[in-house]
mmCIF file of all heavy atoms in Angstrom:
data_model
loop_
_atom_site.group_PDB
_atom_site.id
_atom_site.type_symbol
_atom_site.label_atom_id
_atom_site.label_comp_id
_atom_site.label_asym_id
_atom_site.label_seq_id
_atom_site.Cartn_x
_atom_site.Cartn_y
_atom_site.Cartn_z
ATOM 1 N N ALA A 22 85.891 72.257 77.494
ATOM 2 C CA ALA A 22 86.154 73.326 76.534
ATOM 3 C C ALA A 22 84.954 74.240 76.433
ATOM 4 O O ALA A 22 85.095 75.448 76.324
ATOM 5 C CB ALA A 22 86.453 72.695 75.167
ATOM 6 N N LEU A 34 82.523 83.442 85.305
ATOM 7 C CA LEU A 34 82.084 82.045 85.356
ATOM 8 C C LEU A 34 81.759 81.685 86.807
ATOM 9 O O LEU A 34 82.599 81.893 87.681
ATOM 10 C CB LEU A 34 83.204 81.136 84.809
ATOM 11 C CG LEU A 34 82.938 79.643 84.823
ATOM 12 C CD1 LEU A 34 81.778 79.255 83.905
ATOM 13 C CD2 LEU A 34 84.188 78.881 84.415
ATOM 14 N N VAL A 101 80.633 104.700 111.620
ATOM 15 C CA VAL A 101 80.528 103.682 112.678
ATOM 16 C C VAL A 101 81.427 103.988 113.870
ATOM 17 O O VAL A 101 81.323 103.317 114.915
ATOM 18 C CB VAL A 101 80.864 102.259 112.148
ATOM 19 C CG1 VAL A 101 79.893 101.857 111.063
ATOM 20 C CG2 VAL A 101 82.294 102.211 111.625
ATOM 21 N N ILE A 116 82.860 96.848 110.109
ATOM 22 C CA ILE A 116 83.946 96.737 109.129
ATOM 23 C C ILE A 116 83.380 96.492 107.749
ATOM 24 O O ILE A 116 82.435 95.694 107.582
ATOM 25 C CB ILE A 116 84.868 95.563 109.483
ATOM 26 C CG1 ILE A 116 85.415 95.745 110.909
ATOM 27 C CG2 ILE A 116 86.050 95.481 108.529
ATOM 28 C CD1 ILE A 116 86.346 94.643 111.299
ATOM 29 N N GLN A 140 94.941 75.946 92.288
ATOM 30 C CA GLN A 140 96.091 75.772 91.382
ATOM 31 C C GLN A 140 95.680 74.986 90.145
ATOM 32 O O GLN A 140 96.065 75.330 89.023
ATOM 33 C CB GLN A 140 97.234 75.085 92.120
ATOM 34 C CG GLN A 140 97.781 75.933 93.272
ATOM 35 C CD GLN A 140 99.077 75.395 93.833
ATOM 36 O OE1 GLN A 140 99.869 74.786 93.145
ATOM 37 N NE2 GLN A 140 99.311 75.647 95.126
ATOM 38 N N LEU A 205 76.516 89.449 93.132
ATOM 39 C CA LEU A 205 77.162 90.199 92.043
ATOM 40 C C LEU A 205 76.239 90.197 90.785
ATOM 41 O O LEU A 205 75.466 89.265 90.555
ATOM 42 C CB LEU A 205 78.497 89.555 91.672
ATOM 43 C CG LEU A 205 79.552 89.499 92.794
ATOM 44 C CD1 LEU A 205 80.820 88.854 92.274
ATOM 45 C CD2 LEU A 205 79.847 90.881 93.344
ATOM 46 N N PHE A 207 76.583 91.140 86.487
ATOM 47 C CA PHE A 207 77.562 91.327 85.417
ATOM 48 C C PHE A 207 76.916 91.763 84.123
ATOM 49 O O PHE A 207 75.738 91.428 83.852
ATOM 50 C CB PHE A 207 78.298 89.992 85.134
ATOM 51 C CG PHE A 207 79.175 89.521 86.262
ATOM 52 C CD1 PHE A 207 78.688 88.746 87.295
ATOM 53 C CD2 PHE A 207 80.537 89.857 86.287
ATOM 54 C CE1 PHE A 207 79.516 88.307 88.334
ATOM 55 C CE2 PHE A 207 81.364 89.414 87.314
ATOM 56 C CZ PHE A 207 80.842 88.655 88.338
ATOM 57 N N SER A 211 81.244 92.216 78.447
ATOM 58 C CA SER A 211 81.716 93.612 78.570
ATOM 59 C C SER A 211 83.207 93.704 78.805
ATOM 60 O O SER A 211 83.749 94.792 79.043
ATOM 61 C CB SER A 211 80.972 94.328 79.710
ATOM 62 O OG SER A 211 81.127 93.608 80.923
ATOM 63 N N SER A 236 86.706 108.487 82.734
ATOM 64 C CA SER A 236 85.465 108.419 83.484
ATOM 65 C C SER A 236 84.744 107.100 83.208
ATOM 66 O O SER A 236 84.980 106.465 82.164
ATOM 67 C CB SER A 236 84.558 109.582 83.095
ATOM 68 O OG SER A 236 84.299 109.513 81.718
ATOM 69 N N GLY A 254 80.517 78.551 96.596
ATOM 70 C CA GLY A 254 80.685 78.783 95.186
ATOM 71 C C GLY A 254 81.806 79.786 94.877
ATOM 72 O O GLY A 254 82.147 80.629 95.710
ATOM 73 N N LYS A 265 78.852 94.764 89.393
ATOM 74 C CA LYS A 265 78.409 95.616 90.506
ATOM 75 C C LYS A 265 77.729 94.721 91.537
ATOM 76 O O LYS A 265 77.511 93.525 91.285
ATOM 77 C CB LYS A 265 77.403 96.674 90.008
ATOM 78 C CG LYS A 265 76.085 96.058 89.526
ATOM 79 C CD LYS A 265 75.047 97.122 89.158
ATOM 80 C CE LYS A 265 73.715 96.449 88.709
ATOM 81 N NZ LYS A 265 72.665 97.429 88.470
#
Side-chain angles (χ1 to χ4, degrees):
L34 178 64
V101 298
I116 304 181
Q140 295 192 31
L205 299 181
F207 292 88
S211 56
S236 60
K265 66 174 181 176

